[in-house]
Amino acid sequence: MPDAGSTLPRRQLGRYLTEWRTRAGLSQAKAAQLLEMGATSLNRLEKGQNSRIKSRDIQAICDLYGVHDDLTSALIGLARQSNVKSWWHQYGDVIPKDFDVYVGLEAAAVRLVSYQPDLVPGLLQTADYDRALVQLAWADSTDAEREQRVQIKAHRQNIVTRKTQPVSLEVVIGEAALRRVAGSRKVMAAQLRHLADMSTRPNVTIQVLPFEAGFPDGISMPPFVILEFGNAAYAQAVEPPVVYLEGAVGDIYLEKPNDVSRYHQSYEGIRQVAWDAAASRNLLRQVAREHEQRER
């Protein structure tokens, strides 16, 4: 019988538990012995295979590994969410608002496919572009707090530029994202040139969906990211792919194969009518020049 709950928070929880056990210098067998838990049970927990997870077990594990209180609360929240069939993560609800579930999934992915109609994707944003957005989104924060957010974004971008096994990144960006000004036209010019430069990397594909393409699906698709985690032996997925939808009050994670397939189909339809990589690169540089000219 298939497990009743969502596999996504279980897998995320398993990754964190494995990481912190390793930090504590414990083998899986030794940790299980100290926890008075079967080694098989701990192994299933770390692989995200337990369908029912007890909060007290997670608390005991975190105590043994020396996990700090804030992260312990987040991991207990993940354990509770694992029993929910359709997973919707609302900040400040079960999981602490400062725990970014998506970032952990992003770091584990080997391929990211994204459609962003209005904004430059986060992994491709310059610091000044991101800073302009953070200034508005976190207006009540201090300058130091806002700058910390910018630095966190910059750190996330390492998965694209690292020398060893960089993530494969495929994005379609709406033309509106090129022309809508964040910060200033000078900031936009630099941002678009950065996109053009990044698109020359072998692991990065950037296409622009022009206004003239209309609505490929007959509807206005929201921004989305499809995260894929690679294949093991016999072409089996290491983990099932996930569709991420960011919301103003909460984030939605779709795991059902039919849902993921639907977003793959939508992306393919959008990609086919978008400009190809070379034409998109030329457009990025052209619009960058337009911003510079209007800045003078």
Side-chain angles (χ1 to χ4, degrees):
M1 175 181 287
D3 293 333
S6 168
T7 63
L8 188 150
R10 275 185 262 155
R11 298 196 310 269
Q12 186 76 320
L13 174 63
R15 277 192 288 268
Y16 276 101
L17 294 181
T18 302
E19 176 188 348
W20 278 85
R21 175 177 59 75
T22 302
R23 288 190 189 186
L26 296 171
S27 67
Q28 196 174 75
K30 184 62 177 179
Q33 179 186 7
L34 293 173
L35 290 164
E36 298 182 352
M37 174 188 293
T40 300
S41 296
L42 183 57
N43 181 57
R44 286 178 55 81
L45 191 57
E46 290 186 357
K47 289 184 176 180
Q49 296 175 344
N50 280 13
S51 59
R52 295 291 173 182
I53 305 172
K54 297 177 182 178
S55 297
R56 65 172 179 269
D57 289 341
I58 303 305
Q59 182 68 61
I61 291 171
C62 289
D63 288 344
L64 175 63
Y65 297 168
V67 180
H68 57 79
D69 290 344
D70 289 344
L71 182 55
T72 295
S73 297
L75 299 187
I76 290 173
L78 284 175
R80 292 172 179 165
Q81 284 283 7
S82 70
N83 298 325
V84 179
K85 290 185 180 180
S86 297
W87 198 43
W88 179 60
H89 168 48
Q90 182 177 8
Y91 292 122
D93 187 4
V94 176
I95 296 176
K97 64 181 181 180
D98 292 331
F99 182 71
D100 197 326
V101 174
Y102 174 77
V103 170
L105 293 173
E106 183 183 71
V110 300
R111 180 171 181 252
L112 300 171
V113 173
S114 178
Y115 170 58
Q116 295 291 335
D118 298 305
L119 277 175
V120 171
L123 291 178
L124 297 171
Q125 292 175 3
T126 64
D128 285 339
Y129 183 96
D130 184 32
R131 197 170 283 118
L133 298 177
V134 168
Q135 182 76 27
L136 297 171
W138 305 94
D140 295 333
S141 299
T142 65
D143 289 344
E145 289 170 339
R146 287 195 291 268
E147 191 59 28
Q148 184 179 33
R149 291 184 179 278
V150 174
Q151 294 304 315
I152 290 173
K153 178 75 66 64
H155 180 72
R156 284 172 50 199
Q157 294 171 350
N158 288 334
I159 66 172
V160 180
T161 58
R162 66 194 178 199
K163 292 182 179 180
T164 303
Q165 296 183 327
V167 70
S168 174
L169 179 62
E170 300 176 30
V171 300
V172 175
I173 304 173
E175 186 176 349
L178 280 56
R179 302 189 181 279
R180 185 168 291 176
V181 176
S184 69
R185 292 195 178 276
K186 181 179 179 181
V187 168
M188 288 304 302
Q191 173 63 79
L192 299 187
R193 292 188 189 283
H194 176 68
L195 285 175
D197 291 343
M198 290 294 292
S199 72
T200 64
R201 288 178 172 270
N203 62 309
V204 177
T205 301
I206 299 174
Q207 293 179 252
V208 175
L209 181 70
F211 290 136
E212 63 191 32
F215 301 92
D217 267 358
I219 59 173
S220 178
M221 285 296 293
F224 61 85
V225 181
I226 305 172
L227 302 100
E228 299 178 356
F229 303 95
N231 294 324
Y234 310 108
Q236 285 187 322
V238 174
E239 296 181 14
V242 175
V243 176
Y244 169 70
L245 304 172
E246 184 177 10
V249 295
D251 299 337
I252 299 173
Y253 299 87
L254 304 176
E255 304 172 79
K256 294 180 180 178
N258 287 344
D259 292 338
V260 175
S261 177
R262 174 68 180 88
Y263 275 88
H264 268 298
Q265 291 173 7
S266 293
Y267 179 80
E268 187 60 22
I270 293 168
R271 187 194 65 77
Q272 287 183 358
V273 297
W275 288 11
D276 65 25
S280 296
R281 188 177 303 119
N282 291 336
L283 179 62
L284 288 165
R285 289 173 174 155
Q286 173 191 322
V287 179
R289 289 193 295 270
E290 292 174 9
H291 281 301
E292 289 173 335
Q293 290 167 359
R294 296 184 66 176
E295 177 77 7
R296 295 169 185 167

